[in-house]
Amino acid sequence: MNMTDHLEVREGICEFRPRGESSLVEAVELITHAIKYCRDRRIDKLLVVTKGLTGVSIPTLADRFLMVEEWALAAKGMVVAAMVTSPEYIHPEKFGVRVAADFGFVADVFTSEADALRWLSTYRIPG
């Protein structure tokens, strides 16, 4: 999958909408590349809509920890991310969001794109 075919920047927010069959590892890698794309272009807000991906397994707690750690390292404090996914992928206590905060990565997860965009549009990176 060519990542840039699924990216669009609108009103200061980079929207990434990957589609197709994907493993969890591949999906995490795609999102990492989208974060780096934003960071390298000084786009500080990223919306990731994963509802177009199929075949992605539900992440374990260890998976959630490792993927968020990878994304935090990619963001380097320069990108805020909102992910939109199906409810079954969201941990009941938003474990990944809490881990992200521990790594200094501001991120949240939503089932509604409107809620994710509202959250992203009101967030300001300090500095």
Side-chain angles (χ1 to χ4, degrees), residues 34-99:
I35 291 168
K36 289 178 180 177
Y37 176 92
C38 291
R39 185 197 69 216
D40 291 347
R41 286 157 184 80
R42 300 193 188 288
I43 302 167
D44 62 358
K45 295 178 182 179
L46 173 63
L47 172 71
V48 179
V49 181
T50 65
K51 291 184 175 185
L53 292 175
T54 58
V56 179
S57 61
I58 304 291
T60 65
L61 286 180
D63 292 332
R64 292 171 198 275
F65 181 92
L66 293 171
M67 70 176 142
V68 169
E69 178 183 30
E70 183 175 323
W71 296 340
L73 291 170
K76 295 184 180 179
M78 298 169 62
V79 179
V80 172
M83 182 177 291
V84 180
T85 193
S86 301
E88 63 269 20
Y89 289 96
I90 300 175
H91 186 271
E93 297 169 18
K94 289 194 173 184
F95 177 78
V97 174
R98 292 187 0 232
V99 171

Short mmCIF file of all heavy atoms in Angstrom, two decimals, residues 34-99:
data_model
loop_
_atom_site.label_atom_id
_atom_site.label_comp_id
_atom_site.label_asym_id
_atom_site.label_seq_id
_atom_site.Cartn_x
_atom_site.Cartn_y
_atom_site.Cartn_z
N ALA A 34 2.81 7.45 8.82
CA ALA A 34 1.97 8.64 8.73
C ALA A 34 2.39 9.68 9.77
O ALA A 34 2.42 10.89 9.48
CB ALA A 34 0.50 8.27 8.91
N ILE A 35 2.73 9.22 10.96
CA ILE A 35 3.19 10.14 12.02
C ILE A 35 4.49 10.81 11.58
O ILE A 35 4.65 12.03 11.70
CB ILE A 35 3.36 9.40 13.35
CG1 ILE A 35 1.99 8.98 13.90
CG2 ILE A 35 4.11 10.27 14.38
CD1 ILE A 35 2.06 8.01 15.07
N LYS A 36 5.42 10.03 11.06
CA LYS A 36 6.69 10.59 10.59
C LYS A 36 6.47 11.57 9.44
O LYS A 36 7.14 12.59 9.36
CB LYS A 36 7.65 9.47 10.17
CG LYS A 36 8.18 8.67 11.33
CD LYS A 36 9.08 7.54 10.84
CE LYS A 36 9.62 6.73 11.99
NZ LYS A 36 10.43 5.58 11.52
N TYR A 37 5.56 11.22 8.54
CA TYR A 37 5.23 12.11 7.43
C TYR A 37 4.80 13.47 7.97
O TYR A 37 5.26 14.51 7.50
CB TYR A 37 4.11 11.47 6.60
CG TYR A 37 3.59 12.32 5.47
CD1 TYR A 37 4.12 12.20 4.20
CD2 TYR A 37 2.55 13.23 5.67
CE1 TYR A 37 3.63 12.98 3.14
CE2 TYR A 37 2.06 14.00 4.63
CZ TYR A 37 2.60 13.88 3.38
OH TYR A 37 2.13 14.65 2.34
N CYS A 38 3.91 13.46 8.94
CA CYS A 38 3.43 14.71 9.54
C CYS A 38 4.56 15.46 10.24
O CYS A 38 4.73 16.67 10.05
CB CYS A 38 2.30 14.43 10.53
SG CYS A 38 0.78 13.88 9.74
N ARG A 39 5.31 14.74 11.04
CA ARG A 39 6.42 15.37 11.78
C ARG A 39 7.40 16.03 10.82
O ARG A 39 7.79 17.18 11.02
CB ARG A 39 7.13 14.32 12.63
CG ARG A 39 8.21 14.90 13.53
CD ARG A 39 9.17 13.85 14.04
NE ARG A 39 9.97 13.35 12.93
CZ ARG A 39 10.37 12.10 12.79
NH1 ARG A 39 10.02 11.18 13.67
NH2 ARG A 39 11.10 11.74 11.76
N ASP A 40 7.78 15.33 9.77
CA ASP A 40 8.77 15.85 8.82
C ASP A 40 8.26 17.07 8.06
O ASP A 40 9.05 17.89 7.61
CB ASP A 40 9.17 14.77 7.81
CG ASP A 40 9.97 13.64 8.46
OD1 ASP A 40 10.44 13.80 9.62
OD2 ASP A 40 10.11 12.58 7.81
N ARG A 41 6.95 17.20 7.94
CA ARG A 41 6.35 18.34 7.23
C ARG A 41 5.76 19.38 8.17
O ARG A 41 5.06 20.28 7.75
CB ARG A 41 5.28 17.82 6.26
CG ARG A 41 5.92 17.15 5.06
CD ARG A 41 5.01 16.17 4.38
NE ARG A 41 5.69 15.47 3.30
CZ ARG A 41 6.52 14.44 3.49
NH1 ARG A 41 6.77 13.98 4.69
NH2 ARG A 41 7.11 13.87 2.45
N ARG A 42 6.04 19.21 9.46
CA ARG A 42 5.58 20.13 10.51
C ARG A 42 4.05 20.29 10.53
O ARG A 42 3.51 21.37 10.75
CB ARG A 42 6.27 21.48 10.39
CG ARG A 42 7.77 21.38 10.51
CD ARG A 42 8.42 22.73 10.69
NE ARG A 42 9.86 22.69 10.62
CZ ARG A 42 10.68 22.19 11.54
NH1 ARG A 42 10.20 21.64 12.61
NH2 ARG A 42 11.98 22.24 11.38
N ILE A 43 3.38 19.17 10.28
CA ILE A 43 1.92 19.11 10.42
C ILE A 43 1.68 18.52 11.80
O ILE A 43 2.05 17.38 12.06
CB ILE A 43 1.29 18.23 9.33
CG1 ILE A 43 1.65 18.75 7.94
CG2 ILE A 43 -0.22 18.13 9.53
CD1 ILE A 43 1.33 17.77 6.80
N ASP A 44 1.10 19.30 12.70
CA ASP A 44 1.05 18.85 14.10
C ASP A 44 -0.19 18.06 14.49
O ASP A 44 -0.29 17.58 15.62
CB ASP A 44 1.25 20.03 15.05
CG ASP A 44 0.17 21.09 14.94
OD1 ASP A 44 -0.73 20.96 14.11
OD2 ASP A 44 0.24 22.08 15.69
N LYS A 45 -1.12 17.86 13.55
CA LYS A 45 -2.35 17.12 13.88
C LYS A 45 -2.59 16.03 12.85
O LYS A 45 -2.58 16.29 11.65
CB LYS A 45 -3.55 18.06 13.94
CG LYS A 45 -3.42 19.07 15.07
CD LYS A 45 -4.58 20.02 15.09
CE LYS A 45 -4.39 21.04 16.21
NZ LYS A 45 -5.46 22.00 16.25
N LEU A 46 -2.84 14.83 13.36
CA LEU A 46 -3.06 13.68 12.50
C LEU A 46 -4.35 12.97 12.91
O LEU A 46 -4.54 12.62 14.08
CB LEU A 46 -1.89 12.70 12.61
CG LEU A 46 -2.04 11.35 11.90
CD1 LEU A 46 -2.17 11.52 10.39
CD2 LEU A 46 -0.85 10.45 12.24
N LEU A 47 -5.21 12.77 11.94
CA LEU A 47 -6.42 11.96 12.11
C LEU A 47 -6.20 10.65 11.37
O LEU A 47 -5.90 10.65 10.18
CB LEU A 47 -7.64 12.68 11.52
CG LEU A 47 -8.94 11.86 11.49
CD1 LEU A 47 -9.48 11.67 12.90
CD2 LEU A 47 -9.97 12.54 10.60
N VAL A 48 -6.30 9.53 12.09
CA VAL A 48 -6.15 8.21 11.49
C VAL A 48 -7.49 7.50 11.56
O VAL A 48 -8.03 7.30 12.65
CB VAL A 48 -5.08 7.38 12.23
CG1 VAL A 48 -4.96 5.99 11.61
CG2 VAL A 48 -3.74 8.09 12.25
N VAL A 49 -8.03 7.14 10.41
CA VAL A 49 -9.30 6.43 10.35
C VAL A 49 -9.00 5.01 9.85
O VAL A 49 -8.68 4.82 8.68
CB VAL A 49 -10.31 7.14 9.42
CG1 VAL A 49 -11.63 6.38 9.40
CG2 VAL A 49 -10.52 8.58 9.87
N THR A 50 -9.09 4.04 10.76
CA THR A 50 -8.70 2.67 10.44
C THR A 50 -9.87 1.79 10.01
O THR A 50 -9.67 0.60 9.76
CB THR A 50 -8.01 2.01 11.64
OG1 THR A 50 -8.94 1.89 12.70
CG2 THR A 50 -6.79 2.79 12.09
N LYS A 51 -11.04 2.35 9.91
CA LYS A 51 -12.23 1.53 9.62
C LYS A 51 -12.18 0.88 8.23
O LYS A 51 -12.93 -0.05 7.96
CB LYS A 51 -13.50 2.36 9.80
CG LYS A 51 -13.76 2.69 11.26
CD LYS A 51 -15.05 3.42 11.45
CE LYS A 51 -15.34 3.64 12.93
NZ LYS A 51 -16.64 4.24 13.15
N GLY A 52 -11.29 1.33 7.35
CA GLY A 52 -11.14 0.73 6.03
C GLY A 52 -10.19 -0.44 5.98
O GLY A 52 -10.00 -1.06 4.95
N LEU A 53 -9.57 -0.76 7.12
CA LEU A 53 -8.65 -1.91 7.19
C LEU A 53 -9.41 -3.16 7.58
O LEU A 53 -10.31 -3.11 8.42
CB LEU A 53 -7.54 -1.64 8.20
CG LEU A 53 -6.53 -0.55 7.85
CD1 LEU A 53 -5.56 -0.32 9.00
CD2 LEU A 53 -5.77 -0.91 6.58
N THR A 54 -9.02 -4.28 7.01
CA THR A 54 -9.61 -5.56 7.37
C THR A 54 -8.50 -6.53 7.76
O THR A 54 -7.36 -6.38 7.35
CB THR A 54 -10.42 -6.16 6.20
OG1 THR A 54 -9.55 -6.30 5.07
CG2 THR A 54 -11.60 -5.27 5.83
N GLY A 55 -8.86 -7.52 8.58
CA GLY A 55 -7.90 -8.55 8.96
C GLY A 55 -7.00 -8.19 10.12
O GLY A 55 -6.14 -8.97 10.49
N VAL A 56 -7.19 -7.03 10.70
CA VAL A 56 -6.33 -6.58 11.81
C VAL A 56 -6.84 -7.23 13.10
O VAL A 56 -8.00 -7.09 13.46
CB VAL A 56 -6.35 -5.04 11.94
CG1 VAL A 56 -5.48 -4.59 13.11
CG2 VAL A 56 -5.90 -4.39 10.65
N SER A 57 -5.94 -7.93 13.79
CA SER A 57 -6.33 -8.58 15.04
C SER A 57 -6.49 -7.55 16.16
O SER A 57 -5.90 -6.46 16.11
CB SER A 57 -5.30 -9.64 15.44
OG SER A 57 -4.03 -9.03 15.63
N ILE A 58 -7.28 -7.91 17.16
CA ILE A 58 -7.45 -7.04 18.34
C ILE A 58 -6.13 -7.04 19.10
O ILE A 58 -5.63 -8.11 19.45
CB ILE A 58 -8.60 -7.55 19.24
CG1 ILE A 58 -9.91 -7.68 18.45
CG2 ILE A 58 -8.75 -6.66 20.47
CD1 ILE A 58 -10.54 -6.40 18.00
N PRO A 59 -5.56 -5.87 19.39
CA PRO A 59 -4.27 -5.85 20.08
C PRO A 59 -4.38 -6.26 21.55
O PRO A 59 -5.35 -5.93 22.22
CB PRO A 59 -3.81 -4.38 19.96
CG PRO A 59 -5.03 -3.61 19.62
CD PRO A 59 -6.00 -4.54 18.99
N THR A 60 -3.37 -6.99 22.00
CA THR A 60 -3.25 -7.33 23.42
C THR A 60 -2.74 -6.10 24.17
O THR A 60 -2.35 -5.10 23.54
CB THR A 60 -2.25 -8.48 23.62
OG1 THR A 60 -0.95 -8.01 23.22
CG2 THR A 60 -2.63 -9.73 22.82
N LEU A 61 -2.69 -6.17 25.48
CA LEU A 61 -2.11 -5.06 26.25
C LEU A 61 -0.66 -4.83 25.85
O LEU A 61 -0.22 -3.69 25.70
CB LEU A 61 -2.23 -5.31 27.75
CG LEU A 61 -3.62 -5.16 28.35
CD1 LEU A 61 -3.58 -5.44 29.85
CD2 LEU A 61 -4.20 -3.78 28.09
N ALA A 62 0.10 -5.91 25.67
CA ALA A 62 1.50 -5.77 25.25
C ALA A 62 1.58 -5.11 23.88
O ALA A 62 2.43 -4.23 23.66
CB ALA A 62 2.19 -7.13 25.24
N ASP A 63 0.71 -5.53 22.95
CA ASP A 63 0.68 -4.90 21.62
C ASP A 63 0.42 -3.40 21.74
O ASP A 63 1.07 -2.58 21.08
CB ASP A 63 -0.43 -5.50 20.75
CG ASP A 63 -0.20 -6.95 20.36
OD1 ASP A 63 0.96 -7.38 20.27
OD2 ASP A 63 -1.23 -7.65 20.14
N ARG A 64 -0.56 -3.05 22.56
CA ARG A 64 -0.93 -1.64 22.73
C ARG A 64 0.25 -0.84 23.27
O ARG A 64 0.54 0.26 22.79
CB ARG A 64 -2.13 -1.50 23.65
CG ARG A 64 -3.42 -2.05 23.08
CD ARG A 64 -4.55 -2.08 24.11
NE ARG A 64 -5.63 -2.96 23.72
CZ ARG A 64 -6.64 -2.61 22.93
NH1 ARG A 64 -6.72 -1.39 22.46
NH2 ARG A 64 -7.57 -3.49 22.62
N PHE A 65 0.94 -1.39 24.26
CA PHE A 65 2.10 -0.72 24.84
C PHE A 65 3.16 -0.49 23.77
O PHE A 65 3.67 0.63 23.61
CB PHE A 65 2.67 -1.54 26.00
CG PHE A 65 3.85 -0.88 26.65
CD1 PHE A 65 3.68 -0.04 27.74
CD2 PHE A 65 5.13 -1.10 26.18
CE1 PHE A 65 4.76 0.58 28.34
CE2 PHE A 65 6.22 -0.48 26.77
CZ PHE A 65 6.04 0.36 27.85
N LEU A 66 3.49 -1.54 23.04
CA LEU A 66 4.57 -1.45 22.05
C LEU A 66 4.22 -0.54 20.88
O LEU A 66 5.07 0.23 20.41
CB LEU A 66 4.94 -2.85 21.55
CG LEU A 66 5.57 -3.75 22.62
CD1 LEU A 66 5.70 -5.18 22.10
CD2 LEU A 66 6.92 -3.20 23.07
N MET A 67 2.97 -0.58 20.41
CA MET A 67 2.63 0.28 19.28
C MET A 67 2.63 1.75 19.68
O MET A 67 3.12 2.60 18.94
CB MET A 67 1.32 -0.14 18.62
CG MET A 67 0.07 0.07 19.37
SD MET A 67 -1.34 -0.42 18.32
CE MET A 67 -2.40 -1.15 19.50
N VAL A 68 2.13 2.04 20.87
CA VAL A 68 2.10 3.43 21.31
C VAL A 68 3.51 3.94 21.58
O VAL A 68 3.83 5.09 21.28
CB VAL A 68 1.18 3.57 22.54
CG1 VAL A 68 1.32 4.93 23.18
CG2 VAL A 68 -0.26 3.33 22.15
N GLU A 69 4.37 3.07 22.10
CA GLU A 69 5.77 3.46 22.29
C GLU A 69 6.40 3.82 20.95
O GLU A 69 7.08 4.85 20.82
CB GLU A 69 6.55 2.32 22.95
CG GLU A 69 8.02 2.65 23.13
CD GLU A 69 8.82 1.49 23.73
OE1 GLU A 69 8.46 0.32 23.49
OE2 GLU A 69 9.81 1.77 24.43
N GLU A 70 6.16 3.00 19.93
CA GLU A 70 6.69 3.26 18.59
C GLU A 70 6.16 4.59 18.04
O GLU A 70 6.90 5.40 17.47
CB GLU A 70 6.32 2.11 17.65
CG GLU A 70 6.87 2.25 16.26
CD GLU A 70 6.60 1.03 15.40
OE1 GLU A 70 6.64 -0.10 15.92
OE2 GLU A 70 6.33 1.22 14.20
N TRP A 71 4.87 4.82 18.22
CA TRP A 71 4.27 6.06 17.71
C TRP A 71 4.79 7.28 18.46
O TRP A 71 5.02 8.32 17.86
CB TRP A 71 2.75 5.98 17.80
CG TRP A 71 2.15 4.91 16.93
CD1 TRP A 71 2.73 4.31 15.84
CD2 TRP A 71 0.87 4.31 17.07
NE1 TRP A 71 1.88 3.38 15.30
CE2 TRP A 71 0.73 3.35 16.03
CE3 TRP A 71 -0.17 4.49 17.96
CZ2 TRP A 71 -0.41 2.58 15.87
CZ3 TRP A 71 -1.32 3.72 17.81
CH2 TRP A 71 -1.44 2.78 16.77
N ALA A 72 5.00 7.15 19.75
CA ALA A 72 5.55 8.27 20.54
C ALA A 72 6.95 8.63 20.07
O ALA A 72 7.29 9.81 19.93
CB ALA A 72 5.56 7.91 22.02
N LEU A 73 7.76 7.62 19.81
CA LEU A 73 9.11 7.87 19.31
C LEU A 73 9.06 8.55 17.94
O LEU A 73 9.86 9.44 17.65
CB LEU A 73 9.91 6.56 19.24
CG LEU A 73 10.27 5.94 20.58
CD1 LEU A 73 10.84 4.54 20.39
CD2 LEU A 73 11.25 6.82 21.34
N ALA A 74 8.13 8.15 17.11
CA ALA A 74 7.99 8.75 15.78
C ALA A 74 7.52 10.20 15.88
O ALA A 74 7.96 11.06 15.11
CB ALA A 74 7.03 7.93 14.93
N ALA A 75 6.61 10.48 16.80
CA ALA A 75 6.03 11.82 16.92
C ALA A 75 7.01 12.83 17.49
O ALA A 75 6.96 14.02 17.16
CB ALA A 75 4.78 11.78 17.78
N LYS A 76 7.90 12.40 18.38
CA LYS A 76 8.89 13.28 19.02
C LYS A 76 8.25 14.53 19.62
O LYS A 76 8.82 15.62 19.57
CB LYS A 76 9.98 13.67 18.03
CG LYS A 76 10.82 12.52 17.56
CD LYS A 76 11.95 12.98 16.66
CE LYS A 76 12.77 11.78 16.22
NZ LYS A 76 13.86 12.16 15.32
N GLY A 77 7.04 14.39 20.14
CA GLY A 77 6.36 15.52 20.76
C GLY A 77 5.86 16.57 19.79
O GLY A 77 5.42 17.64 20.20
N MET A 78 5.92 16.27 18.50
CA MET A 78 5.56 17.26 17.48
C MET A 78 4.23 16.98 16.78
O MET A 78 3.77 17.79 15.98
CB MET A 78 6.68 17.33 16.44
CG MET A 78 8.01 17.78 17.02
SD MET A 78 9.41 17.57 15.89
CE MET A 78 8.94 18.64 14.54
N VAL A 79 3.63 15.82 17.06
CA VAL A 79 2.39 15.42 16.39
C VAL A 79 1.39 14.94 17.44
O VAL A 79 1.74 14.15 18.31
CB VAL A 79 2.63 14.31 15.35
CG1 VAL A 79 1.33 13.89 14.68
CG2 VAL A 79 3.65 14.74 14.31
N VAL A 80 0.18 15.41 17.34
CA VAL A 80 -0.95 14.95 18.16
C VAL A 80 -1.79 14.07 17.24
O VAL A 80 -2.02 14.43 16.09
CB VAL A 80 -1.79 16.16 18.64
CG1 VAL A 80 -3.05 15.70 19.33
CG2 VAL A 80 -0.96 17.02 19.56
N ALA A 81 -2.26 12.93 17.76
CA ALA A 81 -3.00 12.01 16.90
C ALA A 81 -4.34 11.62 17.50
O ALA A 81 -4.45 11.39 18.70
CB ALA A 81 -2.18 10.76 16.64
N ALA A 82 -5.34 11.54 16.63
CA ALA A 82 -6.64 11.02 16.99
C ALA A 82 -6.91 9.84 16.06
O ALA A 82 -6.76 9.97 14.85
CB ALA A 82 -7.73 12.08 16.83
N MET A 83 -7.28 8.71 16.65
CA MET A 83 -7.56 7.53 15.85
C MET A 83 -9.05 7.21 15.92
O MET A 83 -9.64 7.28 17.00
CB MET A 83 -6.76 6.33 16.35
CG MET A 83 -6.99 5.08 15.52
SD MET A 83 -5.99 3.69 16.05
CE MET A 83 -4.38 4.26 15.56
N VAL A 84 -9.62 6.89 14.77
CA VAL A 84 -11.02 6.48 14.70
C VAL A 84 -11.02 5.01 14.31
O VAL A 84 -10.44 4.63 13.29
CB VAL A 84 -11.79 7.32 13.67
CG1 VAL A 84 -13.25 6.86 13.61
CG2 VAL A 84 -11.70 8.80 14.00
N THR A 85 -11.67 4.20 15.13
CA THR A 85 -11.71 2.77 14.89
C THR A 85 -13.02 2.19 15.39
O THR A 85 -13.83 2.89 16.00
CB THR A 85 -10.48 2.08 15.54
OG1 THR A 85 -10.38 0.75 15.05
CG2 THR A 85 -10.56 2.11 17.05
N SER A 86 -13.22 0.93 15.14
CA SER A 86 -14.41 0.25 15.61
C SER A 86 -14.30 0.01 17.12
O SER A 86 -13.20 -0.15 17.64
CB SER A 86 -14.56 -1.09 14.89
OG SER A 86 -14.66 -0.87 13.50
N PRO A 87 -15.43 -0.03 17.82
CA PRO A 87 -15.42 -0.13 19.29
C PRO A 87 -14.64 -1.33 19.83
O PRO A 87 -14.01 -1.21 20.89
CB PRO A 87 -16.90 -0.25 19.66
CG PRO A 87 -17.67 0.18 18.48
CD PRO A 87 -16.80 0.04 17.29
N GLU A 88 -14.64 -2.44 19.13
CA GLU A 88 -13.96 -3.63 19.65
C GLU A 88 -12.44 -3.46 19.73
O GLU A 88 -11.76 -4.20 20.45
CB GLU A 88 -14.31 -4.88 18.83
CG GLU A 88 -13.88 -4.84 17.38
CD GLU A 88 -14.94 -4.26 16.43
OE1 GLU A 88 -15.87 -3.55 16.88
OE2 GLU A 88 -14.82 -4.52 15.23
N TYR A 89 -11.89 -2.45 19.05
CA TYR A 89 -10.44 -2.20 19.11
C TYR A 89 -10.06 -1.25 20.24
O TYR A 89 -8.88 -1.03 20.49
CB TYR A 89 -9.94 -1.63 17.77
CG TYR A 89 -9.94 -2.65 16.67
CD1 TYR A 89 -11.00 -2.75 15.78
CD2 TYR A 89 -8.87 -3.52 16.51
CE1 TYR A 89 -11.01 -3.69 14.77
CE2 TYR A 89 -8.86 -4.47 15.51
CZ TYR A 89 -9.94 -4.55 14.64
OH TYR A 89 -9.94 -5.49 13.64
N ILE A 90 -11.02 -0.66 20.91
CA ILE A 90 -10.74 0.31 21.96
C ILE A 90 -10.79 -0.38 23.32
O ILE A 90 -11.80 -0.99 23.68
CB ILE A 90 -11.75 1.48 21.92
CG1 ILE A 90 -11.64 2.19 20.56
CG2 ILE A 90 -11.48 2.46 23.06
CD1 ILE A 90 -12.67 3.28 20.35
N HIS A 91 -9.70 -0.30 24.03
CA HIS A 91 -9.63 -0.89 25.38
C HIS A 91 -10.62 -0.14 26.28
O HIS A 91 -10.72 1.08 26.20
CB HIS A 91 -8.21 -0.77 25.93
CG HIS A 91 -8.01 -1.46 27.22
ND1 HIS A 91 -8.22 -0.82 28.42
CD2 HIS A 91 -7.66 -2.74 27.51
CE1 HIS A 91 -7.98 -1.67 29.40
NE2 HIS A 91 -7.65 -2.84 28.88
N PRO A 92 -11.36 -0.84 27.14
CA PRO A 92 -12.38 -0.19 27.97
C PRO A 92 -11.85 0.97 28.83
O PRO A 92 -12.58 1.92 29.11
CB PRO A 92 -12.91 -1.31 28.87
CG PRO A 92 -12.45 -2.58 28.26
CD PRO A 92 -11.29 -2.27 27.36
N GLU A 93 -10.58 0.90 29.21
CA GLU A 93 -9.99 1.97 30.03
C GLU A 93 -9.01 2.83 29.22
O GLU A 93 -8.23 3.59 29.79
CB GLU A 93 -9.30 1.36 31.24
CG GLU A 93 -10.27 0.64 32.16
CD GLU A 93 -9.58 -0.19 33.23
OE1 GLU A 93 -8.38 0.03 33.48
OE2 GLU A 93 -10.24 -1.07 33.79
N LYS A 94 -9.07 2.68 27.90
CA LYS A 94 -8.18 3.41 26.99
C LYS A 94 -6.71 3.28 27.43
O LYS A 94 -5.98 4.25 27.57
CB LYS A 94 -8.60 4.88 26.87
CG LYS A 94 -9.89 5.07 26.11
CD LYS A 94 -10.09 6.53 25.72
CE LYS A 94 -11.29 6.70 24.81
NZ LYS A 94 -11.43 8.10 24.38
N PHE A 95 -6.31 2.03 27.62
CA PHE A 95 -4.94 1.72 28.05
C PHE A 95 -3.90 2.40 27.16
O PHE A 95 -2.94 3.00 27.64
CB PHE A 95 -4.73 0.20 28.07
CG PHE A 95 -3.35 -0.23 28.42
CD1 PHE A 95 -2.93 -0.22 29.74
CD2 PHE A 95 -2.45 -0.63 27.44
CE1 PHE A 95 -1.64 -0.62 30.08
CE2 PHE A 95 -1.17 -1.04 27.76
CZ PHE A 95 -0.76 -1.04 29.08
N GLY A 96 -4.08 2.31 25.84
CA GLY A 96 -3.11 2.90 24.91
C GLY A 96 -2.99 4.41 25.05
O GLY A 96 -1.90 4.97 24.93
N VAL A 97 -4.09 5.07 25.31
CA VAL A 97 -4.08 6.53 25.50
C VAL A 97 -3.29 6.89 26.76
O VAL A 97 -2.51 7.84 26.76
CB VAL A 97 -5.53 7.08 25.56
CG1 VAL A 97 -5.54 8.56 25.91
CG2 VAL A 97 -6.25 6.84 24.24
N ARG A 98 -3.48 6.09 27.80
CA ARG A 98 -2.74 6.34 29.06
C ARG A 98 -1.25 6.10 28.87
O ARG A 98 -0.42 6.86 29.36
CB ARG A 98 -3.30 5.46 30.18
CG ARG A 98 -4.72 5.89 30.56
CD ARG A 98 -5.30 5.20 31.78
NE ARG A 98 -4.48 4.23 32.43
CZ ARG A 98 -4.86 2.99 32.71
NH1 ARG A 98 -6.06 2.57 32.38
NH2 ARG A 98 -4.04 2.16 33.33
N VAL A 99 -0.90 5.03 28.15
CA VAL A 99 0.51 4.75 27.87
C VAL A 99 1.11 5.86 27.01
O VAL A 99 2.24 6.30 27.25
CB VAL A 99 0.67 3.37 27.19
CG1 VAL A 99 2.10 3.15 26.69
CG2 VAL A 99 0.27 2.25 28.14
#
